[in-house]
Amino acid sequence: MLKKIIILAIVVGFAWACKTQLPGSSDSSKKPNIVFIMADDLGYGDVGFNGQTKIKTPALDQMAKEGVVLTNHYSGSPVCGPSRSCLLTGTHTGHTTVRGNPNWTTSGADVVLKEDDITVAEELKRAGYHTAILGKWGMDEYGVSGQANAQGFDYFYGYRRHGEAHHYYPKHLWRNTEKVPLEGNIPEETFGQYSHDLVANEALNYLDERAKSTEPFFMYVAFTTPHYELTVPEDSKTPYENLGWEKRPMKKGHYYNDEEGNIAYAGMVSRMDRDIGRIREKLKEHGMAENTLVIFTSDNGHEYDRGFFDSNGAFKGRKRDVYEGGIHVPFTAVWPNKIPEGSTSNHQSGFWDFLNTACEVAGIAPTKKDLDGISYLNALKGEKQKVHEYLYWEFNEGAGPRQALRKGDWKLVRQYKKDDELYNLSNDIGEDTDLSKINAKKLKELQALILTARTDDPNYELVKIVKKK
């Protein structure tokens, strides 16, 4: 009898030990953590795993080797504000709340996230996650409803407003709703504490804190690199000096650029890559890597390059274009033992799919049933994946409204006071040959579909906008 009691005690004790592991350690019964890392204005071809040869991105290249690359992933918009709105709310620019950057509205009003918007952070909090946004928020120009802490994030550190993020040596950042003065910073002299470094270190500190808890977490790291202004500390320029590169002199204006652009741009990208590597190492250090899905992408296409870096790869256009160069972005994800190493997927996905994906990872259904997103989790895992009927974008700044719709291999591009353009991306990813004149049936099909892809919004009418002063 005593022997049976001893054996039972050993079994119970072993089971309890397995269940009560140290905080941060791998536990298959714990919901997976999610880390979403986003660059700002990084081109599809700016990373080594998509063919970049001049700029070194070893950490991202290693991530691609250990995980999956999605070759047909799209940002929410060709500029940052609406792209982030799509990411957060699971809706494309025909339906999302913020469809343009500040000042670019037909009503003249600045638009921020509304109280009744349900963000991915709010969904994950419902599933028991601790949530943090570090870096560029850019969804709050003036109002309480647009603040990160009012949209499901437990912790926020970085840039609150859109325009604040244009400078890397700002006089302050924000921690939740409080200003954090950066003593000694002189923005116009690019002197002081480099904001990218502060954000990267905050991400590492956050992971240290999460390692003390058994609570799952969602960490959204929104780096501002390599967005203008083009400036980076000297140690990131050193590897690119004396290589015989052509020079691109830069001037100071709204952006306090360094004197030489190409070296600064490459240094910014590599510094970001370095810190992504540090984030992944920190996850490993705390035993959290195996239970964490890490995603990397960019908020839209590049703005800086004029051909030296081949930032577009094969694509036409850049930031602010609805051609592929403005919206077709790099994407890689890693999740040990869940995502096959060294895999690729040509599944067509967009920023508005992330909310659905995160919900599936967390084991919940999205609150709203009329979202535009479809979870791409199966595509990440190399399994059979549901596909979109179509992908849609709209954008309206100085040149007037632009729209694009992709259905399968076919893409319609509609621009202000121009004839509609039609491309078959299966054999013309560079959008060089307009087929609208020789394939009238397909043109009419997509023209009819694009009329159904958006809802009217008095702030975002499809007319030419006169920018608010």
Side-chain angles (χ1 to χ4, degrees):
M1 182 67 179
L2 179 60
K3 183 177 179 181
K4 289 183 179 179
I5 293 172
I6 293 172
I7 293 172
L8 179 61
I10 292 171
V11 170
V12 171
F14 180 78
W16 177 254
C18 291
K19 188 174 182 180
T20 57
Q21 299 182 51
L22 291 172
S25 61
S26 178
D27 180 359
S28 61
S29 67
K30 178 185 172 184
K31 290 187 177 183
N33 307 309
I34 303 171
V35 174
F36 191 96
I37 305 172
M38 186 162 67
D40 198 335
D41 290 4
L42 185 78
Y44 183 86
D46 278 331
V47 291
F49 67 80
N50 280 341
Q52 179 59 226
T53 58
K54 294 185 175 73
I55 304 172
K56 304 306 178 186
T57 58
L60 284 169
D61 298 346
Q62 184 63 30
M63 187 171 161
K65 288 179 183 177
E66 295 177 14
V68 64
V69 173
L70 298 193
T71 60
N72 270 315
H73 190 69
Y74 289 90
S75 65
S77 167
V79 294
C80 65
S83 200
R84 292 159 204 269
S85 183
C86 294
L87 178 78
L88 290 163
T89 65
T91 51
H92 60 54
T93 44
H95 299 135
T96 203
T97 295
V98 181
R99 302 190 193 184
N101 277 343
N103 300 328
W104 290 106
T105 58
T106 49
S107 65
D110 285 332
V111 177
V112 300
L113 291 179
K114 299 180 294 188
E115 187 174 348
D116 62 355
D117 282 322
I118 299 176
T119 68
V120 62
E122 290 174 293
E123 298 285 34
L124 290 174
K125 278 187 65 64
R126 181 165 59 86
Y129 280 66
H130 191 275
T131 58
I133 158 71
L134 310 169
K136 181 176 177 179
W137 173 241
M139 295 281 96
D140 178 23
E141 292 302 300
Y142 61 84
V144 173
S145 70
Q147 294 181 14
N149 299 116
Q151 291 292 338
F153 286 98
D154 295 308
Y155 184 66
F156 163 54
Y157 177 82
Y159 294 99
R160 176 177 166 184
R161 299 182 63 189
H162 175 86
E164 292 176 341
H166 286 184
H167 302 294
Y168 285 91
Y169 295 89
K171 292 186 176 181
H172 70 270
L173 290 173
W174 293 84
R175 179 171 281 111
N176 297 320
T177 58
E178 302 295 324
K179 277 187 179 181
V180 179
L182 300 179
E183 302 294 342
N185 273 27
I186 307 174
E188 60 273 18
E189 295 182 17
T190 58
F191 177 84
Q193 300 178 73
Y194 191 58
S195 62
H196 168 88
D197 293 352
L198 296 175
V199 170
N201 288 334
E202 198 72 19
L204 298 176
N205 292 338
Y206 178 78
L207 293 178
D208 285 337
E209 288 301 311
R210 288 297 93 206
K212 301 172 186 177
S213 172
T214 58
E215 186 180 29
F217 65 85
F218 165 49
M219 184 176 75
Y220 169 28
V221 184
F223 286 127
T224 48
T225 42
H227 191 292
Y228 279 104
E229 60 201 4
L230 269 289
T231 184
V232 71
E234 292 299 319
D235 62 313
S236 287
K237 296 179 184 179
T238 301
Y240 296 107
E241 293 173 341
N242 304 315
L243 296 180
W245 282 6
E246 66 180 55
K247 301 295 184 182
R248 183 172 168 190
M250 305 296 291
K251 295 180 180 180
K252 292 183 183 292
H254 171 74
Y255 299 111
Y256 307 121
N257 298 307
D258 289 352
E259 290 183 4
E260 207 295 296
N262 287 339
I263 290 175
Y265 187 78
M268 293 172 80
V269 175
S270 287
R271 196 176 191 89
M272 176 183 64
D273 178 82
R274 176 203 70 183
D275 291 329
I276 291 168
R278 292 170 69 204
I279 288 170
R280 292 196 63 212
E281 284 303 315
K282 182 67 74 171
L283 289 168
K284 293 174 185 176
E285 174 188 324
H286 289 306
M288 299 188 293
E290 288 196 4
N291 199 40
T292 302
L293 168 63
V294 182
I295 293 173
F296 170 80
T297 189
S298 175
D299 66 343
N300 47 250
H302 80 94
E303 183 172 24
Y304 169 76
D305 188 37
R306 297 298 180 270
F308 179 72
F309 291 114
D310 198 18
S311 292
N312 276 4
F315 304 148
K316 178 168 71 175
R318 53 155 91 69
K319 179 179 179 178
R320 296 185 180 85
D321 289 321
V322 292
Y323 294 117
E324 296 293 288
I327 54 178
H328 199 145
V329 291
F331 182 107
T332 186
V334 64
W335 188 1
N337 303 315
K338 297 290 193 303
I339 292 176
E341 293 189 9
S343 56
T344 60
S345 170
N346 64 1
H347 171 64
Q348 296 171 20
S349 56
F351 267 29
W352 50 94
D353 294 329
F354 176 63
L355 184 149
N356 296 67
T357 305
C359 284
E360 185 174 1
V361 170
I364 59 173
T367 301
K368 292 186 176 180
K369 307 304 179 187
D370 58 347
L371 298 176
D372 298 309
I374 295 174
S375 171
Y376 50 67
L377 182 58
N378 281 355
L380 299 183
K381 295 163 68 174
E383 299 172 357
K384 187 175 181 181
Q385 172 67 53
K386 182 180 179 181
V387 300
H388 283 279
E389 179 189 1
Y390 63 86
L391 304 176
Y392 173 79
W393 303 264
E394 64 180 58
F395 171 69
N396 195 352
E397 284 192 6
R402 277 151 278 181
Q403 297 169 274
L405 183 144
R406 178 172 183 175
K407 181 178 182 181
D409 291 328
W410 292 93
K411 183 177 175 184
L412 176 73
V413 174
R414 175 169 288 178
Q415 303 190 73
Y416 184 62
K417 291 189 175 181
K418 294 183 179 180
D419 291 338
D420 288 348
E421 302 164 34
L422 180 68
Y423 300 98
N424 189 323
L425 300 182
S426 66
N427 53 26
D428 183 24
I429 196 66
E431 295 165 293
D432 296 318
T433 305
D434 178 8
L435 301 175
S436 61
K437 300 295 188 295
I438 60 175
N439 200 324
K441 182 178 179 182
K442 182 59 68 174
L443 178 66
K444 289 180 180 178
E445 176 191 341
L446 298 193
Q447 285 174 329
L449 189 56
I450 205 170
L451 294 177
T452 71
R454 73 185 306 269
T455 53
D456 292 333
D457 187 320
N459 294 305
Y460 300 106
E461 299 176 72
L462 294 178
V463 297
K464 188 159 185 176
I465 295 174
V466 178
K467 186 177 181 181
K468 185 181 73 173
K469 300 297 185 182

